[in-house]
């Protein structure tokens, strides 16, 4: 073979084999390589492997430059940044970025050989945040992330070494230990039906919601114990726990195993049933009833409720008793008074000592009590009662219509009679009210007259008082005037005029036949009288 010139660039390499010795050599660029005649190309020009920062590559069968041999079965790790060529027989097993672990992440690492800190085969966790650089002494098994557990949530965890199970309750982010893993808890089909779930296994905790007036039975399979919880509450099943379920009768009429329940209502609640009864005169009736029931809570015997189908048992028992009762009455009598007859025959008074919240009490109730379940039927109602025979049903309809007509007429007559009685009572009441009004008017007139007389008397008294006061004032004024006159007279009598006045008065009293007189003062010495005056 003639020599060939091969141009190998800087980022290229090739493998050349010596055809005489069989030795394969590495030829790297950049160079102008002339292929000898005794050599041939085993691996043509290939681009060199480039590792960037934060990258690494695992090389299988690495080449040893000292002894110029490959270490078969050995792995070598090369970290970037670096560009390299593969020697003959070397293979890149893996080229990846260096693991950058964030918070809530971890790597499961296994030792391949014995080291100072770990034995071969031992596993441990490398938690983030960090950058993990692999070595040939250990290998990465898996990457794990913490499981976020919210509020009111939980996670089942299994220890792979001891098979121990535990429940991790939130809120938190949980990272399984190196020897732990999430555990898939399986539930039975009955539990799945009772909890209304569409799956039968989950790593998340099964939470049972118990509402008010409800009860749930939790079974501890490890200790073979039962615990009872009354609502309202929320309970999460432990890994070794389950719920006790019962199949109860449902539908109308009641059919067994109609529903599987784990959370049982304590009532008060209703249930319906329908069945046939036969009367004393062989009339077959279809009876539809509604029962009102509740559970008598007793802390010491609450487990009775989960023994079996308490709905089906009570309905079957009541059917038998009602059929027996109906057989003692005629069709007409039983049809008219069925509710009162059944209450009288089925119900009675009970008295039981129960323990509730740790306190013993005396419970008294009326109804039909089933001690097997602490189950009480305390009311019933006849929803429908019809004959099975169509002819009897037709006659019954006619009888009912006739009875209704009679009843309506009776009600009308009673209403009319009651209306008349009511009218009479109203008339009497109106008459009484009128008499009362007349009495009130008379009383008002009397009060008005008395009030007027009182006012007139008070006015008369006031007027008399004013008149007497006026007369007294007049008399006082007159007396004052007379006193003033006397004082004036006395003042006048003190002078000449007073003396004259006294003489005049004396003269007037001399003789009654004196017609006139002339008063002469004392100072007058001579007096001349006319002749006419003297002749008189």
């Amino acid at each position: 073979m003639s020599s060939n010139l091969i141009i190998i660039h800087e980022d290229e390499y090739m493998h050349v084999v010596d055809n005489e010795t069989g030795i394969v050599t590495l030829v790297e660029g950049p160079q102008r390589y002339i292929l000898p005649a005794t050599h041939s190309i085993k691996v043509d020009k290939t681009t060199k492997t480039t590792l960037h920062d934060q990258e690494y590559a695992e090389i299988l069968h690495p080449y040893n430059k000292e002894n110029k041999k490959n270490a078969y079965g050995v792995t070598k790790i090369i970290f970037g940044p670096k560009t390299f060529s593969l020697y003959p027989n070397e293979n890149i097993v893996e080229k990846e970025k260096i693991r950058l672990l964030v918070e809530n992440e971890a790597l499961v690492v296994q030792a391949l050989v014995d080291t100072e800190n770990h034995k071969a085969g031992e596993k441990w966790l490398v938690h983030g945040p960090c950058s993990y650089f692999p070595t040939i002494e250990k290998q990465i098994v898996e990457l794990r992330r913490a499981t976020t557990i919210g509020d009111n949530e939980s996670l089942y965890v299994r220890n792979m070494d001891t098979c121990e199970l535990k429940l991790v309750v939130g809120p938190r982010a949980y990272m399984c230990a190196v020897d732990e893993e999430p555990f898939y808890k399986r539930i039975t089909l009955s539990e799945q039906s009772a909890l209304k779930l569409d799956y039968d296994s989950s790593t998340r905790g099964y939470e049972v919601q118990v509402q008010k007036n409800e009860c749930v039975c939790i079974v501890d399979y490890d200790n073979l114990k039962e615990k009872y919880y009354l609502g309202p509450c929320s309970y999460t099943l432990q890994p070794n726990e389950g719920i006790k379920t019962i199949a109860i009768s449902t539908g109308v009429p009641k059919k067994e195993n109609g529903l599987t329940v784990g959370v049982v209502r304590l009532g008060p609640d209703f249930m319906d049933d329908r069945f046939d009864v036969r009367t004393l005169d062989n009339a077959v009736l279809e009876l539809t009833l509604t029962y009102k029931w509740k559970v008598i809570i007793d802390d010491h015997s609450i487990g009775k409720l989960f023994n079996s189908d308490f709905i089906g048992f009570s309905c079957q028992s009541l059917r038998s008793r009602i059929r027996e009762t109906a057989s003692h009455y005629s069709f007409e009598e039983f049809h008219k008074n069925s509710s009162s007859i059944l209450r009288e025959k089925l119900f009675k008074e009970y008295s039981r000592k129960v323990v509730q919240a740790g306190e013993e009490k005396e419970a008294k109730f009326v109804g039909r009590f089933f001690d097997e379940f602490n189950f009480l039927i305390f009311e019933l109602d006849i929803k429908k009662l019809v004959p099975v025979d169509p002819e009897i049903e037709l006659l019954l309809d006619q009888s009912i219509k006739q009875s209704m007509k009679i009843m309506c007429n009776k009600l009308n007559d009673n209403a009319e009679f009651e209306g008349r009685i009511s009218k009479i009572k109203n008339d009497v009441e109106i008459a009484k009210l009128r008499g009362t009004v007349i009495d009130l008017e008379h009383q008002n007139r009397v009060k008005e007259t008395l009030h007027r007389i009182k006012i007139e008397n008070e006015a008369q008294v006031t007027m008399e008082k004013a008149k007497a006061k006026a007369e007294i004032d007049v008399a006082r004024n007159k007396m004052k005037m007379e006193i003033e006159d006397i004082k004036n007279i006395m003042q006048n009598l003190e002078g000449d005029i007073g003396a004259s006045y006294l003489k005049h008065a004396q003269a007037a009293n001399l003789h009654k036949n004196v017609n006139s007189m002339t008063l002469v003062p004392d100072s007058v010495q001579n007096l001349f009288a006319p002749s006419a005056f003297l002749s008189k």
Side-chain angles (χ1 to χ4, degrees):
M1 179 180 294
S2 59
S3 299
N4 296 321
L5 175 64
I6 302 174
I7 299 176
I8 305 174
H9 296 89
E10 183 180 1
D11 60 344
E12 294 179 337
Y13 71 93
M14 59 185 296
H15 293 166
V16 177
V17 59
D18 187 342
N19 294 329
E20 294 179 355
T21 62
I23 298 175
V24 182
T25 58
L26 171 67
V27 180
E28 296 182 287
Q31 63 172 306
R32 296 166 65 90
Y33 178 72
I34 298 175
L35 182 67
T38 59
H39 289 64
S40 61
I41 299 174
K42 183 176 182 181
V43 177
D44 204 353
K45 290 189 297 183
T46 306
T47 303
K48 294 181 181 180
T49 302
T50 300
L51 295 178
H52 301 285
D53 192 21
Q54 299 294 319
E55 286 187 340
Y56 72 95
E58 292 186 11
I59 308 299
L60 182 64
H61 315 313
Y63 181 77
N64 191 335
K65 294 181 180 179
E66 295 179 358
N67 58 18
K68 298 181 180 181
K69 293 182 180 180
N70 292 85
Y72 290 100
V74 178
T75 301
K76 177 183 177 181
I77 297 178
I78 301 176
F79 294 96
K82 187 175 183 180
T83 300
F84 62 94
S85 303
L86 289 178
Y87 282 89
N89 298 322
E90 286 186 340
N91 294 318
I92 295 180
V93 178
E94 188 176 32
K95 178 185 175 183
E96 290 186 0
K97 289 187 176 182
I98 293 175
R99 296 277 188 168
L100 180 62
L101 301 177
V102 298
E103 189 177 2
N104 294 329
E105 283 188 345
L107 286 175
V108 179
V109 181
Q110 185 178 23
L112 300 177
V113 296
D114 291 341
T115 61
E116 294 181 1
N117 300 323
H118 303 283
K119 297 291 184 181
E122 183 180 353
K123 295 180 182 179
W124 66 93
L125 288 178
V126 177
H127 294 273
C130 69
S131 295
Y132 178 76
F133 296 87
T135 64
I136 59 174
E137 293 85 8
K138 51 193 176 184
Q139 67 175 0
I140 297 174
V141 178
E142 63 175 338
L143 171 67
R144 288 187 180 179
R145 291 182 174 86
T147 302
T148 302
I149 307 173
D151 194 14
N152 295 327
E153 292 183 351
S154 55
L155 179 70
Y156 296 116
V157 177
R158 183 176 72 93
N159 188 301
M160 294 181 288
D161 294 337
T162 64
C163 292
E164 181 181 355
L165 303 176
K166 68 177 181 179
L167 179 69
V168 181
V169 181
R172 62 183 297 186
Y174 183 76
M175 176 70 72
C176 290
V178 67
D179 57 349
E180 291 181 343
E181 65 177 357
F183 172 68
Y184 281 86
K185 176 178 172 59
R186 298 185 64 87
I187 58 176
T188 63
L189 292 177
S190 60
E191 290 175 331
Q192 180 181 348
S193 175
L195 295 176
K196 296 179 175 61
L197 301 176
D198 55 359
Y199 54 89
D200 61 354
S201 65
S202 174
T203 59
R204 295 288 180 167
Y206 294 98
E207 188 172 358
V208 182
Q209 297 289 343
V210 186
Q211 304 298 330
K212 185 178 180 181
N213 293 331
E214 291 184 346
C215 179
V216 65
C217 176
I218 305 298
V219 182
D220 185 348
Y221 297 117
D222 289 347
N223 301 317
L224 299 179
K225 291 184 178 180
E226 295 181 353
K227 297 177 290 184
Y228 303 93
Y229 295 92
L230 299 177
C233 70
S234 176
Y235 185 84
T236 303
L237 294 178
Q238 295 292 328
N240 59 335
E241 291 180 341
I243 62 173
K244 188 174 183 178
T245 61
I246 55 175
I248 61 175
S249 300
T250 58
V252 180
K254 288 290 180 282
K255 295 181 180 179
E256 296 181 354
N257 302 322
L259 178 65
T260 300
V261 296
V263 179
V264 179
R265 288 188 56 81
L266 302 178
D269 206 344
F270 298 90
M271 63 180 181
D272 295 342
D273 195 14
R274 182 174 64 242
F275 53 91
D276 295 341
V277 297
R278 185 180 296 272
T279 61
L280 183 63
D281 47 4
N282 287 327
V284 180
L285 305 176
E286 184 182 72
L287 182 63
T288 304
L289 303 96
T290 296
Y291 302 111
K292 192 173 183 180
W293 60 267
K294 65 180 180 180
V295 177
I296 304 301
I297 299 176
D298 186 359
D299 295 346
H300 290 171
S301 59
I302 195 171
K304 291 182 177 181
L305 192 61
F306 294 87
N307 287 341
S308 61
D309 180 10
F310 59 92
I311 297 293
F313 181 88
S314 58
C315 286
Q316 289 288 355
S317 177
L318 290 172
R319 286 179 186 177
S320 300
R321 295 179 183 276
I322 292 173
R323 286 187 177 119
E324 180 183 1
T325 302
S327 64
H328 293 84
Y329 293 87
S330 64
F331 165 76
E332 189 72 21
E333 186 177 5
F334 186 76
H335 184 268
K336 289 183 178 179
N337 306 306
S338 55
S339 296
S340 58
I341 290 174
L342 294 180
R343 290 190 184 97
E344 181 182 357
K345 297 297 182 181
L346 297 179
F347 293 170
K348 65 178 182 178
E349 295 183 356
Y350 296 89
S351 179
R352 292 286 189 279
K353 289 185 178 181
V354 297
V355 177
Q356 297 178 356
E359 182 180 354
E360 185 174 345
K361 300 179 181 179
E362 183 75 19
K364 294 183 179 181
F365 41 86
V366 178
R368 170 59 61 175
F369 183 67
F370 297 92
D371 188 68
E372 298 84 355
F373 311 100
N374 286 347
F375 187 70
L376 175 68
I377 304 291
F378 62 92
E379 185 58 271
L380 64 83
D381 182 36
I382 307 296
K383 296 180 65 176
K384 188 177 181 182
L385 181 60
V386 295
V388 176
D389 190 344
E391 295 181 359
I392 297 179
E393 184 177 4
L394 179 61
L395 293 175
L396 178 61
D397 289 339
Q398 295 176 355
S399 176
I400 291 175
K401 291 179 181 178
Q402 187 67 24
S403 298
M404 291 297 295
K405 185 177 181 180
I406 295 172
M407 181 62 68
C408 291
N409 293 333
K410 185 177 180 180
L411 290 175
N412 290 333
D413 294 341
N414 290 337
E416 184 177 354
F417 179 71
E418 291 292 335
R420 292 177 181 176
I421 293 177
S422 178
K423 185 176 183 305
I424 294 172
K425 288 182 178 180
N426 291 336
D427 292 340
V428 172
E429 188 68 23
I430 291 172
K432 289 182 179 179
L433 292 175
R434 286 177 178 173
T436 303
V437 170
I438 293 172
D439 292 340
L440 291 175
E441 291 178 350
H442 177 69
Q443 291 177 5
N444 290 335
R445 291 195 188 96
V446 171
K447 288 181 179 180
E448 184 179 357
T449 303
L450 292 175
H451 186 64
R452 186 177 69 254
I453 293 174
K454 182 179 179 181
I455 293 174
E456 291 177 354
N457 290 336
E458 290 178 352
Q460 184 68 27
V461 170
T462 303
M463 187 172 61
E464 292 296 331
K465 286 182 178 180
K467 185 176 180 181
K469 183 178 179 182
E471 290 178 354
I472 292 172
D473 293 339
V474 170
R476 286 179 178 174
N477 292 331
K478 185 177 181 181
M479 186 179 293
K480 288 181 179 180
M481 292 176 64
E482 291 177 353
I483 292 173
E484 290 293 330
D485 292 341
I486 293 172
K487 287 182 179 180
N488 293 331
I489 294 173
M490 290 179 68
Q491 290 177 358
N492 293 330
L493 292 177
E494 291 179 356
D496 293 336
I497 297 174
S500 297
Y501 178 77
L502 290 176
K503 288 182 178 181
H504 180 269
Q506 291 175 358
N509 292 328
L510 290 179
H511 199 277
K512 297 180 179 179
N513 295 320
V514 177
N515 294 323
S516 63
M517 65 181 63
T518 302
L519 297 177
V520 180
D522 291 336
S523 61
V524 177
Q525 295 290 332
N526 296 315
L527 178 65
F528 297 95
S531 59
F533 179 77
L534 293 176
S535 64
K536 289 180 182 181

